Amino acid sequence: MIGHLTRTLLSGITLAAMLGIATVPTQAATLHMAWSQDATGLDPHKQTAFSSLRLLELIYEPLVRVDASLRIIPAIATSWEFSKDGKELTFKLDPKAKFQDGAAITSADVKASFERILDEKTGAAARANFLSIAGIDTPDAATIVFHLSQPDVPILTAMSDVNAAIVPASEIKAGSIGTKALGSGPFKLDKWDPNAKEVLSANKGWAGGATGVDGIEISVLPDEAAILAAMRTKQIDFALLNDPLVATLVPKEASLQLNRVPVLAYHVLQLNPSRKPMTELKVRQAISCAIDRQEVLDTASLGEGKVTGPLTIPALATDPSQLFCYKRDVEKAKKLMAEAGFADGFSATVIGATGEPPTAAAEAQVIQSQLAEIGVKLDIKMMELNVYVDAWLKGDFDMAIALNGGRADPYTMYNRYWTKAGNLQKVANYIDDTLDSQMQQGRAETDPAKRKAIFAAFEKHLAEVSPWIWLYTSYSYTAQQKNIAGFVPTPTGTLFSLSKVTIQQ
């Protein structure tokens, strides 16, 4: 593989042409960055692809955000308070907060943003996180009060996501959200050439203070080996890497630094329980028993990660060895297939996105080989990311290889899939009374020990009914020149700390 990577590395002159920059030392004021997957859209309320979220979180801001320790910290809001009964949540907005056109952010913008998220017609990715909002009051321009139908412990965590970004009420009224990017974050989007380049400039009016660089120029290079080559020749200062085959080469470069942190996102084989024969519990359980998760991890991701159950938050996760069929058992899988009436197996198609994650094709191939042992004939169909996302959102697949985002709270992480009102139920294609009840209990419970017990039961049940087959968690990788300072990697994978990155001379 290293030989293959070496053969694919491009010359410095060719790379300079691809990157659209001159072969002269970069200016300290501009951070030259690269990634392999571009954003698929600009609407912060609708986007689900990691590549989109990483861009939009530099442009837009939510009311609050989470830090590297997963603690809630201020963003547009400077303070917040729950009422004693937990049914009112009041925020005070930062008086310095402005949109990038200079307009002050007011409570009217916050109200309009959440009304847009809650409107089913919007198709907002995080809508299910906010269904407890029964009403929104704006006592003054700097105060916003959310009236909740019930105590909702994880709503603050949900509000920290860029899918809950605050956008101008005027832009909502004009219908321009998604056609242009007007946020309040540290950078403004000056230019977007899809699948080629983004040009960002510092938002001089950002309430968070001065950024460390005057701008960021992002080049989209689908071949991560080419990104590494560009870093070797110092044409790229900072890169987001997804492929462990490339990331593990970075420490061998004396001039480069690899940032590697475990993340909450999870690799998963999503079954579609609305399609036969995945409608049968024993077929889904057979698939779970037939898969060797550690082999998938070792083969597709060089062992860079660990096998996981549904919950990836360290403080709440169950030891996977305690979950249903996490030790591979082919004989049990065959027995379950026979009991379900599929002793001779069946045929199905698994979809994956080319390049996101880069391990998708390898994961599919390992799973294809493993399931063949129980008679499942799996056809692999790789798609361009935007095509895959469309199919995924429609639930138009037999099985899907996915890398899904994690969150700091299990309710925020999973209610859109595993509740009856979840706005991504079409993606999950499975729900039962137990899952829905456990999620609602966990949402309202304030005692940490009781919450942990509720979600442990939720995780155990989800693994047993096997609508999806959770595989492993991996790492977030970024690479940088050693003269780049100030970047803080986090378990959420956010690149927000690029707002304070500096280039040392």
Side-chain angles (χ1 to χ4, degrees):
M1 180 55 69
I2 292 175
H4 168 71
L5 291 172
T6 303
R7 290 193 298 274
T8 62
L9 298 184
L10 305 177
S11 71
I13 295 174
T14 304
L15 279 167
M18 290 176 63
L19 297 166
I21 59 176
T23 52
V24 296
T26 59
Q27 295 181 353
T30 299
L31 183 77
H32 290 283
M33 179 177 159
W35 53 32
S36 60
Q37 286 284 354
D38 201 8
T40 59
L42 297 177
D43 188 333
H45 296 158
K46 294 183 179 182
Q47 293 303 306
T48 58
F50 283 106
S51 52
S52 298
L53 302 178
R54 298 295 82 90
L55 173 66
L56 295 173
E57 65 200 5
L58 298 175
I59 302 166
Y60 290 94
E61 289 187 296
L63 286 170
V64 293
R65 59 174 53 93
V66 294
D67 65 11
S69 300
L70 302 179
R71 296 172 299 195
I72 303 290
I73 60 173
I76 288 174
T78 55
S79 66
W80 52 91
E81 184 178 14
F82 280 101
S83 60
K84 288 185 178 180
D85 66 0
K87 292 186 177 182
E88 279 189 5
L89 176 57
T90 301
F91 289 90
K92 290 291 185 180
L93 305 182
D94 187 339
K96 298 178 294 185
K98 298 177 181 179
F99 291 112
Q100 291 154 358
D101 62 358
I105 298 176
T106 70
S107 55
D109 298 303
V110 178
K111 182 177 181 179
S113 296
F114 277 92
E115 287 176 342
R116 182 176 190 263
I117 291 168
L118 287 167
D119 186 346
E120 284 192 71
K121 295 177 183 176
T122 302
R127 178 178 176 271
N129 289 331
F130 304 111
L131 296 181
S132 66
I133 297 174
I136 305 172
D137 284 340
T138 56
D140 57 58
T143 307
I144 186 89
V145 181
F146 293 91
H147 299 280
L148 308 178
S149 60
Q150 65 176 71
D152 192 341
V153 173
I155 196 168
L156 264 179
T157 303
M159 288 178 168
S160 72
D161 199 286
V162 74
N163 284 150
I166 306 306
V167 299
S170 59
E171 298 297 318
I172 296 174
K173 186 176 181 179
S176 59
I177 306 297
T179 60
K180 64 179 181 178
L182 180 58
S184 62
F187 294 98
K188 297 186 288 185
L189 181 63
D190 296 331
K191 183 180 181 182
W192 179 35
D193 293 332
N195 298 312
K197 174 171 282 194
E198 288 93 13
V199 179
L200 305 171
S201 61
N203 174 15
K204 301 299 184 183
W206 182 41
T211 58
V213 293
D214 288 339
I216 304 176
E217 292 186 5
I218 306 172
S219 297
V220 182
L221 296 176
D223 183 354
E224 290 195 359
I227 294 177
L228 181 56
M231 297 197 76
R232 284 176 175 145
T233 56
K234 302 192 183 302
Q235 295 171 73
I236 292 296
D237 302 310
F238 185 94
L240 174 63
L241 300 175
N242 294 313
D243 191 343
L245 297 175
V246 176
T248 51
L249 297 178
V250 173
K252 299 176 183 178
E253 304 294 330
S255 64
L256 302 180
Q257 173 183 319
L258 178 69
N259 305 310
R260 173 183 178 270
V261 295
V263 290
L264 302 176
Y266 55 94
H267 295 251
V268 63
L269 173 67
Q270 295 183 200
L271 309 183
N272 185 341
S274 72
R275 290 191 179 180
K276 294 182 178 180
M278 271 81 72
T279 51
E280 301 297 319
L281 171 61
K282 289 184 177 181
V283 168
R284 300 195 305 270
Q285 290 180 328
I287 292 171
S288 179
C289 292
I291 290 178
D292 184 333
R293 295 159 173 84
Q294 188 64 49
E295 184 184 23
V296 176
L297 168 59
D298 290 343
T299 304
S301 202
L302 301 181
E304 283 281 291
K306 65 178 181 179
V307 170
T308 189
L311 295 187
T312 61
I313 305 111
L316 297 175
T318 299
D319 180 347
S321 67
Q322 304 303 308
L323 299 174
F324 176 81
C325 234
Y326 261 67
K327 181 178 180 181
R328 192 182 193 218
D329 191 335
V330 175
E331 291 309 309
K332 182 174 181 177
K334 289 179 178 178
K335 184 173 183 291
L336 286 165
M337 288 284 281
E339 290 173 356
F342 291 91
D344 295 329
F346 62 91
S347 297
T349 298
V350 61
I351 66 170
T354 302
E356 189 168 299
T359 54
E363 289 171 20
Q365 289 163 6
V366 177
I367 290 169
Q368 180 188 53
S369 174
Q370 292 177 351
L371 293 187
E373 295 183 43
I374 62 168
V376 177
K377 304 170 192 69
L378 209 55
D379 180 49
I380 299 171
K381 185 177 182 181
M382 301 302 295
M383 304 171 166
E384 292 301 315
L385 179 60
N386 60 335
V387 178
Y388 170 89
V389 169
D390 286 345
W392 185 85
L393 286 171
K394 293 174 184 174
D396 186 14
F397 54 83
D398 298 332
M399 304 181 193
I401 295 288
L403 173 60
N404 293 341
R407 299 291 187 273
D409 187 275
Y411 182 84
T412 308
M413 184 169 173
Y414 280 131
N415 82 88
R416 55 185 179 171
Y417 302 115
W418 310 116
T419 60
K420 292 178 180 179
N423 54 286
L424 292 183
Q425 249 294 299
K426 190 180 289 185
V427 179
N429 276 304
Y430 179 85
I431 190 61
D432 62 36
D433 291 341
T434 300
L435 289 175
D436 187 75
S437 174
Q438 289 167 335
M439 288 295 276
Q440 302 311 329
Q441 290 173 50
R443 178 192 203 179
E445 181 58 63
T446 57
D447 182 272
K450 291 179 180 178
R451 282 195 99 222
K452 183 172 183 178
I454 290 167
F455 284 115
F458 163 82
E459 184 173 30
K460 180 175 182 289
H461 179 67
L462 194 52
E464 284 177 355
V465 294
S466 305
W468 296 357
I469 312 302
W470 278 261
L471 301 171
Y472 65 96
T473 56
S474 53
Y475 296 93
S476 169
Y477 303 106
T478 54
Q480 62 187 62
Q481 302 290 342
K482 287 190 174 177
N483 67 328
I484 303 300
F487 180 73
V488 180
T490 78
T492 64
T494 178
L495 299 179
F496 176 74
S497 67
L498 287 176
S499 59
K500 296 300 183 182
V501 155
T502 58
I503 304 175
Q504 309 295 313
Q505 295 299 316

